[in-house]
Amino acid sequence: MKTRDKIIQASLELFNEHGERTITTNHIAAHLDISPGNLYYHFRNKEDIIRCIFDQYEQHLLNGFKPYVGQKVDLELLMGYFDAMFYTMWQFRFMYANLADILARDEALKARYLKAQQSVLEQSIGVLKQLKQDGIFNIPDDRVSDLADTIKMIIGFWISYKLTQSSIATINKGSLYEGLLRVLMIFKAYATPDSLPTFDRLEQHFQELAA
């Protein structure tokens, strides 16, 4: 792995474990046993590193929530979407925990974030419309966009909610699965009778993971 890639990976790990606000470029350099000058050869500052991490975040968002094409709707397909939600939240949890502060410091990153979120919203609307067409959901057409936006809101702020509603200082995987179960609860409210058993199985699967 090239030094630049090592810096990005180490930064992501340190941000997730200790919080982005507490980690400096000196911490990252010391963690990698390289000089600060070596780090600054590749990145101007910490914000520059965060932008590169955001590149990875963007790709996960765009690849994880694409409308399905030529696939049968089954448990594995739906589980794939929920797994993508979990992976993105876990892999980039430092961003969700400190999102407002990170975006407030970098207007260019905020513009990128808003563009990425709009793309995810449009893709999610497309997925929900397909699921309705395939008999998985029973939801009025004029509520699909609101449902997609509500799910995006829960995912985007679940980590902040958990951190502010309890004495925990860090997020664990169980906490994220609790968030997915809340999303499932909302989806089940719109599930057709034929699809309810599938959602029951999904719920059982993620309950076991949350435990």
Side-chain angles (χ1 to χ4, degrees), residues 137-169:
F137 288 128
N138 182 17
I139 180 174
D141 289 336
D142 61 354
R143 301 300 299 276
V144 171
S145 296
D146 288 341
L147 177 59
D149 192 48
T150 300
I151 299 307
K152 186 167 71 70
M153 178 180 65
I154 294 173
I155 294 170
F157 293 98
W158 178 256
I159 289 177
S160 295
Y161 172 78
K162 292 296 289 185
L163 289 173
T164 56
Q165 297 298 313
S166 68
S167 60
I168 62 172

Side-chain angles (χ1 to χ4, degrees), residues 112-155:
R112 287 180 60 193
Y113 175 82
L114 292 175
K115 183 178 180 180
Q117 289 296 307
Q118 183 59 35
S119 295
V120 169
L121 178 61
E122 292 171 0
Q123 289 186 181
S124 299
I125 291 171
V127 170
L128 290 177
K129 286 181 176 179
Q130 282 183 275
L131 290 171
K132 177 185 177 179
Q133 180 180 325
D134 290 341
I136 303 301
F137 288 128
N138 182 17
I139 180 174
D141 289 336
D142 61 354
R143 301 300 299 276
V144 171
S145 296
D146 288 341
L147 177 59
D149 192 48
T150 300
I151 299 307
K152 186 167 71 70
M153 178 180 65
I154 294 173
I155 294 170

Side-chain angles (χ1 to χ4, degrees), residues 7-188:
I7 292 170
I8 295 171
Q9 184 61 35
S11 300
L12 180 56
E13 292 172 1
L14 290 172
F15 292 161
N16 281 335
E17 184 175 352
H18 302 287
E20 176 268 334
R21 278 177 288 194
T22 67
I23 297 299
T24 66
T25 51
N26 285 342
H27 289 128
I28 298 166
H31 180 77
L32 289 170
D33 196 24
I34 63 175
S35 68
N38 193 351
L39 185 146
Y40 288 126
Y41 174 80
H42 297 281
F43 298 98
R44 292 170 294 175
N45 49 40
K46 189 168 75 170
E47 278 63 40
D48 202 14
I49 298 173
I50 292 174
R51 291 188 200 107
C52 289
I53 292 174
F54 188 83
D55 291 340
Q56 298 179 14
Y57 171 73
E58 259 182 334
Q59 286 304 117
H60 284 295
L61 287 178
L62 297 177
N63 293 332
F65 304 102
K66 288 181 179 178
Y68 55 95
V69 178
Q71 287 182 264
K72 178 184 176 183
V73 182
D74 54 17
L75 181 66
E76 286 68 31
L77 174 69
L78 294 174
M79 194 176 293
Y81 283 120
F82 280 93
D83 284 342
M85 290 182 202
F86 173 84
Y87 181 83
T88 303
M89 292 171 72
W90 179 252
Q91 191 72 6
F92 303 97
R93 57 194 179 277
F94 83 91
M95 287 187 56
Y96 291 103
N98 194 31
L99 184 61
D101 185 41
I102 291 172
L103 297 182
R105 299 196 312 256
D106 191 329
E107 285 297 322
L109 183 63
K110 183 174 182 179
R112 287 180 60 193
Y113 175 82
L114 292 175
K115 183 178 180 180
Q117 289 296 307
Q118 183 59 35
S119 295
V120 169
L121 178 61
E122 292 171 0
Q123 289 186 181
S124 299
I125 291 171
V127 170
L128 290 177
K129 286 181 176 179
Q130 282 183 275
L131 290 171
K132 177 185 177 179
Q133 180 180 325
D134 290 341
I136 303 301
F137 288 128
N138 182 17
I139 180 174
D141 289 336
D142 61 354
R143 301 300 299 276
V144 171
S145 296
D146 288 341
L147 177 59
D149 192 48
T150 300
I151 299 307
K152 186 167 71 70
M153 178 180 65
I154 294 173
I155 294 170
F157 293 98
W158 178 256
I159 289 177
S160 295
Y161 172 78
K162 292 296 289 185
L163 289 173
T164 56
Q165 297 298 313
S166 68
S167 60
I168 62 172
T170 58
I171 287 292
N172 58 38
K173 290 184 176 181
S175 298
L176 294 192
Y177 284 123
E178 289 175 17
L180 292 188
L181 286 166
R182 298 297 178 90
V183 173
L184 261 173
M185 180 178 69
I186 295 173
F187 278 156
K188 281 185 69 175

